[in-house]
Structure formats: C-alpha cells, structure tokens
C-alpha cells in the first residue's frame, strides 16, 4: 500500500529564516506530487505541482520554491520567511493515470 | 477557469440530524467530483467521488450525486454523529495536465449531543 510522509509536523521560525519542508511517498512510482497551503479558516491553495523528477510548475508567485530531487521526494523551501508564510502545508500525491489525490498529515508552520 | 462554490459555514447540527452541504461547480468539459474531509489538525481524506453525470458516490453513510444539469454535487447524510464534526471540501479535477484539483473553501460541520 502507499503512504505519504511529511516532516516536521510543526515548526516555529523567525521572520527572515530559511525553510525546508519535506514530503516522501512510499509504495508507488512516478507519482504526481503537489504542495498546498491552507491559511487559518480558509481553503486550500495549490502552490506547486510536479509530474516528474526536476519538473516543477508554480501556480502562484510567492516567496517559496519547490524541488523534486528524487522520484518520490518533494521539498518546499524558502530563503527568507515572511509572516504571511504562516499556515498549514499539505503535500499530496496522485497516480499519473488517475485524478484522486492522497494527502499527507501536514506541517503547521508559524512565522514569528 | 474552473471553480467550486460551497455553502458557508459553520454548520451546527444536533446528533442524528440530516445533513446537506451544498456544492456547485463551473468547469469546461466533464470533470470528476470529490468530497474530502479534514479532521482537526490532520490532512485531508477522500470521502467519496463521482466520475460522470448521474453517478452517486457514497461512503460512511455520506452520499453525493453528480448532477450535470444543475452543476451540483451536494453532500448528504441521513443521521450525523458527533464524530462527523470536521471540515468538508468539495473539489473537481482539472481536465488539463497535472491532474490538478480545484477546491471549494470548505464547510465546517459541528455536531452536538
């Protein structure tokens, strides 16, 4: 069976510090991968998605970047965090042939 | 572009009450439709889905029917429980590349004894 991991689960960072959130998927090959942000009391905003190693599509201009160094690894980064980067970050995967997405447990990021 | 509109929350119900959460969509083509549920502090879980018009998705007592004529996918449950308290998201699949989903803003449900 497939599983998706995210870490860390929670993170408190000062403004201006760097960020690295990691997501890994087990039990499948060549998945599509997605990063979402969920601000408090709001819906999900798609930030990035990837259909293969090294292939990243950005959905909104922002202070964040994403990378996919391995088939089942997706990393969300920032060089300098802003207060507005606070939120709940969710990683998801989907089979190439399907459209049903499976979500990880999320990372709660607080920027102070 | 594609969009999903959900009824505003929060919705507060007594246990065993009937639940309806409205969802309508705008899309080109024939998207698949989904309901996801998010329990406090957790990621999203797929609740049910429908891939074509008139399909009914169902799971854990929840149901939703894909209505092409009214572009709707309303979520229903005949008798809610306290454990159903969560945020519910309606979503549709993107017909373009990347299998992207477009989500509604979510509806918070609180069920009380």
């Amino acid at each position: 069976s497939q599983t998706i991991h995210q870490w860390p689960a929670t993170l408190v960072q000062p403004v201006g510090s760097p960020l690295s959130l990691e997501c890994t998927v087990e039990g499948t090959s060549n998945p599509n991968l997605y990063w979402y942000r969920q601000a408090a009391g709001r819906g999900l905003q798609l930030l990035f998605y990837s259909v293969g190693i090294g292939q990243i599509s950005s959905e909104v201009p922002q202070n964040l970047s994403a990378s996919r160094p391995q088939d089942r690894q997706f990393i969300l980064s920032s060089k300098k965090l802003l207060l507005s980067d606070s939120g709940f970050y969710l990683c998801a995967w989907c089979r190439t042939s399907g459209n049903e997405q499976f979500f990880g447990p999320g990372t709660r990021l607080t920027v102070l | 572009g594609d969009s999903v509109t959900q009824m505003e929350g929060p919705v507060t119900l007594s246990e065993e009450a009937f639940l309806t959460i409205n969802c309508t969509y705008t899309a080109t083509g024939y998207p698949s439709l989904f309901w996801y549920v998010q329990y406090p502090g957790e990621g999203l879980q797929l609740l049910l889905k429908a891939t074509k018009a008139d399909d009914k998705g169902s799971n854990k007592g929840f149901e939703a029917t894909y209505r092409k004529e009214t572009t709707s996918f309303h979520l229903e449950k005949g008798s809610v429980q306290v454990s159903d308290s969560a945020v519910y998201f309606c979503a549709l699949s993107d017909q373009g590349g990347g299998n992207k989903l477009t989500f509604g803003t979510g509806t918070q449900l609180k069920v009380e004894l």
Side-chain angles (χ1 to χ4, degrees):
Chain A
S1 63
Q2 299 84 20
T3 55
I4 179 169
H5 304 279
Q6 284 187 249
W7 65 89
T10 60
L11 190 60
V12 180
Q13 292 284 95
V15 169
S17 63
L19 173 73
S20 181
L21 303 182
E22 189 162 344
C23 170
T24 59
V25 181
E26 296 177 357
T28 188
S29 296
N30 195 32
N32 289 349
L33 296 171
Y34 309 84
W35 277 113
Y36 292 87
R37 176 169 58 206
Q38 185 178 27
R42 301 177 68 177
L44 280 78
Q45 180 184 36
L46 178 62
L47 302 176
F48 301 94
Y49 72 94
S50 171
V51 298
I53 296 174
Q55 299 180 59
I56 308 295
S57 296
S58 175
E59 289 294 292
V60 293
Q62 61 204 312
N63 184 44
L64 302 168
S65 62
S67 62
R68 184 171 178 175
Q70 299 180 45
D71 181 44
R72 290 168 288 178
Q73 184 185 30
F74 205 23
I75 297 173
L76 184 69
S77 303
S78 174
K79 293 181 179 178
K80 289 186 177 182
L81 284 169
L82 305 173
L83 286 174
S84 57
D85 291 325
S86 293
F88 192 47
Y89 288 82
L90 290 160
C91 182
W93 74 274
C94 173
R95 292 182 179 84
T96 305
S97 58
N99 54 16
E100 179 179 321
Q101 291 186 14
F102 303 92
F103 285 79
T107 294
R108 174 79 56 195
L109 171 66
T110 303
V111 182
L112 300 175
Chain B
D2 296 348
S3 67
V4 175
T5 302
Q6 286 183 239
M7 64 186 289
E8 293 286 331
V11 174
T12 302
L13 296 174
S14 298
E15 201 170 41
E16 299 184 0
F18 184 86
L19 168 71
T20 299
I21 299 178
N22 290 337
C23 171
T24 56
Y25 67 90
T26 301
T28 55
Y30 303 96
S32 294
L33 301 173
F34 306 85
W35 276 102
Y36 282 84
V37 58
Q38 184 180 33
Y39 298 102
E42 299 183 8
L44 275 68
Q45 302 174 26
L46 179 66
L47 182 60
L48 54 84
K49 67 176 183 180
T51 58
K52 60 183 186 298
D54 299 326
D55 268 2
K56 177 185 284 188
S58 61
N59 185 27
K60 300 181 181 179
F62 291 90
E63 294 182 340
T65 301
Y66 190 143
R67 301 286 188 198
K68 181 172 175 290
E69 63 276 12
T70 55
T71 62
S72 65
F73 193 54
H74 304 322
L75 182 68
E76 296 181 336
K77 186 175 186 182
S79 176
V80 294
Q81 306 299 312
V82 171
S83 57
D84 294 326
S85 298
V87 180
Y88 293 81
F89 291 92
C90 185
L92 64 80
S93 63
D94 192 306
Q95 296 296 287
N99 297 338
K100 293 180 288 182
L101 294 180
T102 298
F103 284 88
T105 53
T107 302
Q108 184 173 7
L109 170 65
K110 182 178 180 182
V111 181
E112 300 174 331
L113 291 171

